[in-house]
Amino acid sequence: MNEWLKKTLAKLKELWGKWTVVQKVILIGILVVVIGAIILVSNISTVPTTVQLFSTAITDVGARDRIMLRMDEEGVESYVSDSGMISVKDSATARRMRSLLISEGLVPNSVDPWEVFDNLGEWSTTDYERDNAKQRAVEAQVQQQIQALDDVVFANVTISFPEHRTFTSEQDPVTANVVIEGKPNSDITTNRNKIKGVQNIVKFCVTGLTDENISIIDKTTGNIINDFEGLESADRVTIVAKQQKQIAELEARYRVSVLNALQQIYTADRVRELNIKIDMDWSEKSESKVVYSPIETRADNKDTSYDESEFVTSIPLSSETVEKTSKGTVYNPEGPAGVEGQNPAVYSDMSNTYTLTEEKGEKVNNAINTSHVEVTTAPTIERVSVSVNIDGTWKKTKGEDGKTVREYIPLDAQELTDARSLVEGAVGYNRERGDVVNVTNIKINRDAQFAEEDAELLRKEQTQKTIIYVGIGIIAVLIAFIVFRMISREIERKRRLKEEEILRKHQMEREKTLWEAEQAGMEVTMSVEERERAELQETAIAMAKEHPEDVAMLIKTWLMEE
């Protein structure tokens, strides 16, 4: 193999040397073009093939972000172009995600419902065939959308498009019949949200279709599962349960806030429990009213520290002055001409009396500030009732018999008032709303606590006495042991001194005997023991002379050990 490679390289080198410069340039250019083509083809082949989710670009950034977030939750990889087109990896994923987005109402209004369908194919030229093909295509596409859901294993869709009528009152509605079969362990036939999701798919894909004209049937039982009539009572029970839960959470939050404030002042043992009841008005009311406000004639100067603004209630736009003068008789209640008068007696003297009357008035057209306000009242707190008890303090004293005596000291009126103000501020007290806040000072029964404290105190006293007696006993034993030890040492010392004295006397007698024998010229033979003793004595005397400090320490150690 190596010989063949060497021969090949030699031939190529020989050919390269025979070629002209032009031939070499052409070869290099061909190689560059081939390598570039290979790189371009590889890059194109690595670009993923995607399918558009909708044929319409979604320009609403918020709607697009919600769609992308929902697809991320499903684990679907998606791509967004600069123009707003959303794409996924294949058509099956696109169909499944379209079904999911339509069921959850996440498709924006700018997307035409018909654009979720694929190309319906070539239709015939007759209206009848075109309508039939359209109906079959719509049914097939809606069926695919429903079967793409994770909980559906089978779906059959039938849609009825009635004939077009001239008058709207005579127009029959579009109806749809959907038969579905859920997967094992799926709750699609009982879960209202999922059933409404299927209903939204059908309604969104078919123009003119309403909820009441859609029938969704469970294939297993044959029951209509999207008939939500009669469930208002169940919904109402659910709503009431949620409302009670919110009230309980609000009461718990208020309770914790008030208890923390009071227990930090009076300790947790004195403020043990707080009762709170909140009544809420869950009705939502809308009110429209006209608000009249004064007119600002002079604005406030922000550079000054005081308010310079001026207001007036109204500004005159136009005015009219009216002056009226009348002359003639004061009153003449006579009948018509030719008829005898019917004047009462009281007006008889006033008949034909001449008078002059003048009237003056001014009409002004004023401009006022008015504004129309739409007020929507959300659920509000209707009433708050709070009751809390604060225990007093106990003062301990010693009685004549030595026992503990406790005296109860209640809270004064000022403390109760201050505590009530604290609670009112914590719960947002509103007198006009009818709120009630009660702070009481009722003595808490502490008999069990006091009995336990007395028993604990008695145990401590008994423990202290026991410790004292045991300490006294230990001290007595120690003293006795020390005395016994001192006496024993003294007896031992006297015995040792006596023995030393006896040994010293024996030694002196032995030395005297030896000296006398030497003086008499007698030979004295010493035993081995006596000779060893004499040598040890001479050695000890020599060491004592040479190292007196060491010998003193040795003797001191012996005495301490004894």
Side-chain angles (χ1 to χ4, degrees), residues 488-529:
S488 299
R489 285 188 175 185
E490 184 65 22
I491 294 173
E492 182 68 19
R493 188 180 67 82
K494 289 182 178 181
R495 183 185 63 80
R496 187 172 60 253
L497 293 175
K498 185 177 180 181
E499 290 179 354
E500 291 177 353
E501 182 66 21
I502 294 172
L503 291 174
R504 188 176 62 79
K505 289 181 179 180
H506 289 172
Q507 182 66 22
M508 290 177 65
E509 290 177 357
R510 191 182 300 111
E511 292 178 354
K512 183 178 180 182
T513 303
L514 292 175
W515 182 79
E516 290 177 352
E518 290 178 356
Q519 291 294 328
M522 298 176 62
E523 294 184 359
V524 179
T525 304
M526 298 178 64
S527 64
V528 177
E529 294 180 354

Side-chain angles (χ1 to χ4, degrees), residues 293-300 307-312 315 369:
S293 58
I295 301 173
E296 185 179 14
T297 59
R298 181 179 179 182
D300 182 26
D307 188 4
E308 297 177 347
S309 57
E310 295 180 358
F311 297 89
V312 294
I315 297 177
N369 267 347

Side-chain angles (χ1 to χ4, degrees), residues 10 35 71 132 135 159 169 171 191 209 219 256 290 330 340 401 409 492 534-535 537:
I35 294 173
M71 289 195 295
N132 287 339
Q135 181 176 353
I159 301 175
S169 59
Q171 180 67 45
N191 192 317
L209 191 59
K219 181 183 178 182
V256 171
V290 180
V330 176
E340 184 179 357
D401 54 355
I409 302 176
E492 182 68 19
E535 291 177 356
Q537 186 174 359

Side-chain angles (χ1 to χ4, degrees), residues 233-414:
S233 58
D235 294 339
R236 187 163 49 253
V237 171
T238 304
I239 292 173
V240 170
K242 292 181 179 179
Q243 292 174 355
Q244 294 297 330
K245 182 179 178 181
Q246 293 181 8
I247 292 176
E249 292 177 354
L250 185 61
E251 290 176 350
R253 187 162 63 249
Y254 278 10
R255 184 179 295 107
V256 171
S257 175
V258 176
L259 280 178
N260 288 340
L262 292 177
Q263 288 177 353
Q264 289 179 359
I265 300 174
Y266 298 103
T267 71
D269 185 57
R270 295 176 60 188
V271 185
R272 300 184 178 183
E273 188 59 37
L274 179 141
N275 299 317
I276 183 168
K277 174 64 177 174
I278 297 178
D279 298 327
M280 295 194 67
D281 183 9
W282 294 97
S283 60
E284 296 185 2
K285 303 175 183 177
S286 298
E287 180 183 359
S288 179
K289 60 182 179 180
V290 180
V291 179
Y292 298 93
S293 58
I295 301 173
E296 185 179 14
T297 59
R298 181 179 179 182
D300 182 26
N301 186 4
K302 302 300 182 180
D303 296 333
T304 59
S305 60
Y306 53 90
D307 188 4
E308 297 177 347
S309 57
E310 295 180 358
F311 297 89
V312 294
T313 57
S314 62
I315 297 177
L317 299 179
S318 61
S319 62
E320 180 183 0
T321 302
V322 179
E323 295 183 0
K324 184 188 294 184
T325 302
S326 60
K327 298 179 182 180
T329 57
V330 176
Y331 191 74
N332 188 12
E334 295 181 355
V339 179
E340 184 179 357
Q342 301 286 332
N343 291 342
V346 67
Y347 294 115
S348 300
D349 296 337
M350 298 178 61
S351 61
N352 299 323
T353 303
Y354 183 83
T355 185
L356 175 63
T357 304
E358 294 182 356
E359 295 182 7
K360 293 183 179 181
E362 183 177 2
K363 297 180 180 180
V364 180
N365 184 17
N366 293 326
I368 58 177
N369 267 347
T370 59
S371 59
H372 295 270
V373 180
E374 298 288 338
V375 180
T376 300
T377 304
T380 56
I381 297 177
E382 196 172 40
R383 185 185 180 189
V384 178
S385 302
V386 183
S387 63
V388 60
N389 180 58
I390 303 176
D391 192 17
T393 57
W394 293 86
K395 182 179 180 181
K396 293 182 181 180
T397 56
K398 287 290 185 179
E400 296 179 356
D401 54 355
K403 294 183 178 181
T404 302
V405 179
R406 296 177 176 86
E407 179 184 0
Y408 181 75
I409 302 176
L411 273 72
D412 55 20
Q414 184 61 38

